[in-house]
Amino acid sequence: MSTHYRHDVVIIGRGAAGLALALRLPAHYRIAVLSKGDVKQSSTYWAQGGMAAVLHARDSVDAHVEDTLRAGAGLCHRDAVELTVSHSRETVDWLASLGVDFDLREDIDQTQSPEYHLAQEGGHSHRRIVHAADRTGGAIGEVLEQRARQADNIDLLPGRIAVDLVVNDGRCKGIYVLDEQKDRVDLFEAGAVVLASGGASKVYLYTSNPDGASGDGIAIAWRAGCRVANLEFNQFHPTCLYHPEAKSFLITEALRGEGAHLLLPNGERFMPRFDERAELAPRDIVARAIDHEMKRLGADCVYLDISHRDPGFVRQHFPTIYERCLEFGIDITQDRIPVVPAAHYTCGGIMVDSHGRSDVEGLYAIGECSFTGLHGANRMASNSLLECLVYAQAAARHISEQDLSSSNAKSPPPWDESQVTNSDEDVVISHNWHELRRFMWDYVGIVRTDKRLQRALRRADLLQAEINEYYSNYKVTNDLLELRNLAMVAELMIRCAIERRESRGLHYTLDYPELNPDPVDTILIPGNYWH
């Protein structure tokens, strides 16, 4: 029998955005943080390079803003960029006060005035990436999770998968959630629901993301009536380790920031031919260059080489990558690293304002599932962790000013599964899962055409119809929910890509190679695209 829970705030997602929000909310609020797993299953934990912040005297907020606007290829919202960047120093200070141990410079006396070691990454005009070796996301996530565990008002509930929101009279009243262990769907009623569920890169065959990045928040927000925007802009990280046994292991951009070169199989550098910034060009340019060279040569991969740097420096600054590659027989102090592009970040998402508010009252979205306007047509490296934390604070402040009382409101109904049965056709899920990810990779990847997009849309329509019929007749499972959400988000991505008749940032189409003079966001409105 299902259970009815009541909280002041329910948060979907246990990465940096969700945990930071929980910690920023008033201590007297009763908060539930629901997730598929713990913080180690989040994209936050997998983030290697670091977090962008203006921390050096030679750097400035204006410079960081301009770099972000330039990388975003004309589609960043300046107000969102300025909001995010202007809060970068206080965000770093807050994390440090919680116990995040960022790396310090070794070449100065730290006893007088501690100074962080700052890395440089593509698109940045200054060294401004604060980091904890090459596992910054893990360091941040572990501290946030530890603090959340110590808080008496926060319930951390893993093994939960969001199903659908409860919306009555235009207001979000809660959310239905699958308890995977107990095989039942519970109702979580709340004064505010916050989606911090991450991106949707699992829609592609090759991705750097953890398995849970299935677009759940975007899909359930769309079904609840929220607009989505700019989902055609899917960032492909240029350098994921290419090895049959290395599932989704990313090679941080910080390696290129420290002088690593991208090489063809014959040892020739190629990035200078594509951009004057060479290996430090923004990710869309680097990923397209690698894709072009692999297709031109028929190569399975290209190579990243940092073996010309001092071995001690490499091992000290990139210990995680060094150890992981060593497991596969690659000594990065001596050997080239085989790499390929892989889906990495969803730049579009649920439309929100500067407080993280969505179109539905009582529903917020923060982190990768949201669209704030920060990233534009191409996310600049290491801005995403900063966005998670800045908008977590903004949403917490706004929620704390609301009346979350629901004592006079009628409670939503419990989940009804009286008309469904257990499935004996799970092969449908596995087959559709593979087909979806394959055609998204082939037709909606780094380089697109109208013909490919139309083929993808036809297949997405067929899959949606089949999945919806299956969903209506059988009990929900984690695999079914993720497939349902991925198919929905895939369709939204395809429709956004079809709408954009130009090549800009991460969206590159052979049919429209030029830029439109007046760029606008691609906004989809529920009701226009319902099946």
Side-chain angles (χ1 to χ4, degrees):
M1 185 174 179
S2 66
T3 301
H4 185 166
Y5 297 92
R6 289 182 176 86
H7 292 80
D8 294 304
V9 181
V10 169
I11 301 167
I12 307 299
R14 200 161 163 177
L19 290 172
L21 173 67
L23 292 170
R24 293 280 199 176
L25 287 167
H28 66 273
Y29 277 12
R30 194 76 229 162
I31 303 163
V33 180
L34 312 181
S35 60
K36 297 176 183 178
D38 61 17
V39 70
K40 292 183 179 180
Q41 272 85 46
S42 71
S43 292
T44 291
Y45 195 84
W46 289 32
Q48 295 174 352
M51 186 175 75
V54 179
L55 298 170
H56 198 280
R58 287 195 296 270
D59 199 3
S60 68
V61 168
D62 287 344
H64 191 170
V65 167
E66 292 305 315
D67 289 346
T68 301
L69 294 174
R70 191 179 305 110
L75 277 182
C76 295
H77 296 192
R78 179 177 280 274
D79 57 346
V81 178
E82 291 176 346
L83 170 70
T84 305
V85 173
S86 65
H87 287 84
S88 62
R89 178 178 287 274
E90 68 182 79
T91 299
V92 172
D93 290 343
W94 180 70
L95 290 172
S97 74
L98 294 181
V100 178
D101 190 16
F102 293 116
D103 286 4
L104 300 176
R105 286 181 59 181
E106 299 175 347
D107 58 338
I108 64 172
D109 181 5
Q110 295 285 355
T111 59
Q112 300 299 319
S113 179
E115 188 173 326
Y116 295 115
H117 179 273
L118 301 176
Q120 183 154 7
E121 294 182 349
H124 291 274
S125 59
H126 293 78
R127 284 184 169 268
R128 63 167 68 102
I129 313 304
V130 63
H131 60 97
D134 60 349
R135 58 177 307 274
T136 310
I140 292 172
E142 286 168 355
V143 168
L144 294 178
E145 174 132 323
Q146 179 185 29
R147 293 286 183 163
R149 288 183 182 279
Q150 294 169 348
D152 294 334
N153 66 319
I154 300 174
D155 298 326
L156 300 176
L157 303 174
R160 266 67 171 198
I161 299 94
V163 180
D164 269 319
L165 295 161
V166 181
V167 179
N168 292 332
D169 300 324
R171 180 177 178 84
C172 182
K173 300 293 184 66
I175 187 167
Y176 294 113
V177 177
L178 172 65
D179 185 328
E180 197 169 19
Q181 184 176 3
K182 296 181 179 177
D183 191 26
R184 71 186 188 200
V185 176
D186 296 325
L187 169 63
F188 281 79
E189 188 177 357
V193 174
V194 184
L195 300 173
S197 52
S201 287
K202 198 175 177 180
V203 76
Y204 287 102
L205 188 60
Y206 302 111
T207 174
S208 66
N209 284 194
D211 286 341
S214 49
D216 304 323
I218 298 170
I220 65 175
W222 171 262
R223 291 195 292 266
C226 294
R227 293 171 299 163
V228 298
N230 285 11
L231 283 168
E232 70 270 36
F233 297 119
N234 302 289
Q235 187 173 74
F236 289 79
H237 197 288
T239 54
C240 271
L241 179 61
Y242 178 73
H243 191 282
E245 297 175 18
K247 181 182 179 182
S248 305
F249 186 70
L250 180 142
I251 306 297
T252 176
E253 189 164 345
L255 248 76
R256 285 179 279 135
E258 296 298 344
H261 295 153
L262 282 164
L263 307 176
L264 298 177
N266 66 1
E268 174 193 346
R269 283 183 72 190
F270 59 91
M271 276 310 304
R273 290 193 277 110
F274 291 88
D275 193 280
E276 63 183 10
R277 292 163 290 185
E279 282 82 4
L280 289 179
R283 289 176 177 175
D284 60 323
I285 295 173
V286 179
R288 269 202 307 276
I290 294 174
D291 182 71
H292 173 84
E293 291 299 305
M294 286 173 58
K295 288 176 178 174
R296 180 177 70 85
L297 297 172
D300 292 328
C301 64
V302 296
Y303 295 88
L304 188 65
D305 186 15
I306 198 169
S307 63
H308 52 278
R309 293 298 305 267
D310 176 70
F313 172 88
V314 173
R315 286 192 292 266
Q316 179 182 356
H317 285 267
F318 306 105
T320 305
I321 295 173
Y322 175 76
E323 293 293 341
R324 183 64 169 158
C325 287
L326 210 56
E327 293 176 13
F328 303 111
I330 303 166
D331 182 347
I332 67 173
T333 66
Q334 302 178 37
D335 305 325
R336 304 184 304 180
I337 309 168
V339 294
V340 292
H344 183 59
Y345 194 87
T346 309
C347 286
I350 307 158
M351 292 191 70
V352 297
D353 66 8
S354 60
H355 307 293
R357 291 186 298 176
S358 75
D359 293 329
V360 175
E361 187 179 355
L363 178 65
Y364 297 74
I366 56 176
E368 191 175 350
C369 70
S370 71
F371 168 76
T372 65
L374 171 66
H375 304 305
N378 181 24
R379 177 181 74 96
M380 193 166 68
S382 293
N383 270 350
S384 52
L385 277 174
L386 179 61
E387 180 189 39
C388 286
L389 296 159
V390 169
Y391 278 84
Q393 181 184 22
R397 186 183 299 115
H398 190 272
I399 291 170
S400 66
E401 296 170 350
Q402 309 306 306
D403 179 10
L404 301 184
S405 173
S406 58
S407 57
N408 297 323
K410 183 180 178 181
S411 291
W415 180 256
D416 181 11
E417 58 179 23
S418 60
Q419 305 300 312
V420 299
T421 62
N422 289 316
S423 171
D424 58 357
E425 292 288 335
D426 284 354
V427 65
V428 174
I429 296 177
S430 61
H431 175 83
N432 287 351
W433 186 275
H434 181 75
E435 182 181 349
L436 172 68
R437 299 180 75 201
R438 169 57 72 180
F439 77 65
M440 285 296 291
W441 182 263
D442 289 342
Y443 299 149
V444 199
I446 296 174
V447 177
R448 301 161 179 177
T449 66
D450 280 351
K451 184 179 292 186
R452 293 174 190 172
L453 293 174
Q454 290 297 335
R455 285 174 178 164
L457 184 60
R458 287 194 295 271
R459 283 159 173 77
D461 284 342
L462 289 172
L463 278 184
Q464 289 263 58
E466 193 168 297
I467 291 166
N468 288 337
E469 180 184 6
Y470 190 97
Y471 179 83
S472 300
N473 290 292
Y474 298 110
K475 290 183 66 174
V476 297
T477 64
N478 178 45
D479 287 347
L480 174 57
L481 291 174
E482 287 193 342
L483 177 62
R484 179 189 185 218
N485 291 333
L486 273 180
M488 172 62 75
V489 175
E491 180 187 347
L492 297 175
M493 288 179 174
I494 296 164
R495 291 193 181 278
C496 281
I498 289 172
E499 292 279 334
R500 185 165 296 282
R501 299 187 176 184
E502 63 167 346
S503 290
R504 183 179 298 276
L506 300 166
H507 174 75
Y508 186 81
T509 169
L510 296 176
D511 293 308
Y512 306 99
E514 303 300 323
L515 288 170
N516 283 340
D518 300 309
V520 294
D521 294 324
T522 307
I523 299 173
L524 301 184
I525 304 171
N528 294 1
Y529 295 98
W530 285 113
H531 284 281

